Amino acid sequence: MAEEIIRAPHLEAENQNKAAVKALYEALARGKRDIVARLVAGDLEWWFHGPQNCQHMMRLLTGSGEPEFQFEPRSVTAIDDRVIVEGWEGAQAYWVHVWTLKDGLITQFREYFNTWLTVTELIGHNSPTLWQSQPRDLARRSLPGLLLAI
């Protein structure tokens, strides 16, 4: 089913990328490792920022240990070949995932846990700020901030 969604010819590239990432979260939530394996490159480039004990997505993707955190995306935004997914659970957990796709395959993953993120592009768009963290439940909490230039 995920491949049908992702390969739909009428969707433009950004929408296809967005559909692929949404299918990944669905497959992870349902424990469908075969779908996950088809969506993610075998040599996935991984980058993490946050407390070391919060590398929950790494554990899910590699199958190393029981899932102890449920990722429920609150917003999904596609920008060129990247898909930015944001989620939070109360005031304790805030996360941003930035997925890079090539030909419908996830090739790079950046995870930011309990970190404010601003995504910017120096060339090519009218506005230098493309995306910014908006964790509603954490508005009063102090978190480190990072700038991701794409």
Side-chain angles (χ1 to χ4, degrees):
M1 179 176 146
E3 287 180 331
E4 293 170 2
I5 295 170
I6 298 162
R7 305 287 182 223
H10 64 282
L11 295 176
E12 57 190 61
E14 283 185 0
N15 287 338
Q16 289 177 353
N17 290 344
K18 198 172 173 178
V21 170
K22 284 181 176 182
L24 175 70
Y25 285 98
E26 284 180 27
L28 288 169
R30 294 173 42 215
K32 300 290 186 177
R33 306 254 349 124
D34 57 326
I35 295 174
V36 172
R38 288 194 307 255
L39 293 169
V40 178
D43 60 347
L44 177 71
E45 181 183 329
W46 180 282
W47 191 87
F48 176 82
H49 183 274
Q52 292 302 311
N53 63 333
C54 293
Q55 293 186 21
H56 305 295
M57 184 57 77
M58 170 70 95
R59 289 185 206 103
L60 278 176
L61 291 175
T62 61
S64 61
E66 291 297 315
E68 47 192 72
F69 190 88
Q70 181 74 31
F71 288 101
E72 295 180 26
R74 305 283 183 117
S75 73
V76 181
T77 305
I79 302 172
D80 298 328
D81 63 345
R82 289 176 178 85
V83 177
I84 303 167
V85 182
E86 177 181 39
W88 57 92
E89 302 306 322
Q92 299 305 311
Y94 171 69
W95 52 269
V96 177
H97 294 160
V98 181
W99 305 91
T100 304
L101 291 90
K102 183 175 181 181
D103 300 324
L105 187 65
I106 296 169
T107 60
Q108 183 185 72
F109 173 62
R110 294 177 181 265
E111 182 172 23
Y112 304 90
F113 209 91
N114 288 340
T115 303
W116 298 97
L117 184 65
T118 298
V119 178
T120 187
E121 183 176 62
L122 302 177
I123 301 171
H125 285 271
N126 295 332
S127 171
T129 299
L130 301 176
W131 185 89
Q132 193 164 14
S133 293
Q134 297 182 12
R136 291 166 193 85
D137 294 348
L138 301 174
R140 294 187 183 106
R141 186 167 171 206
S142 176
L143 296 173
L146 286 178
L147 178 69
L148 173 62
I150 59 173

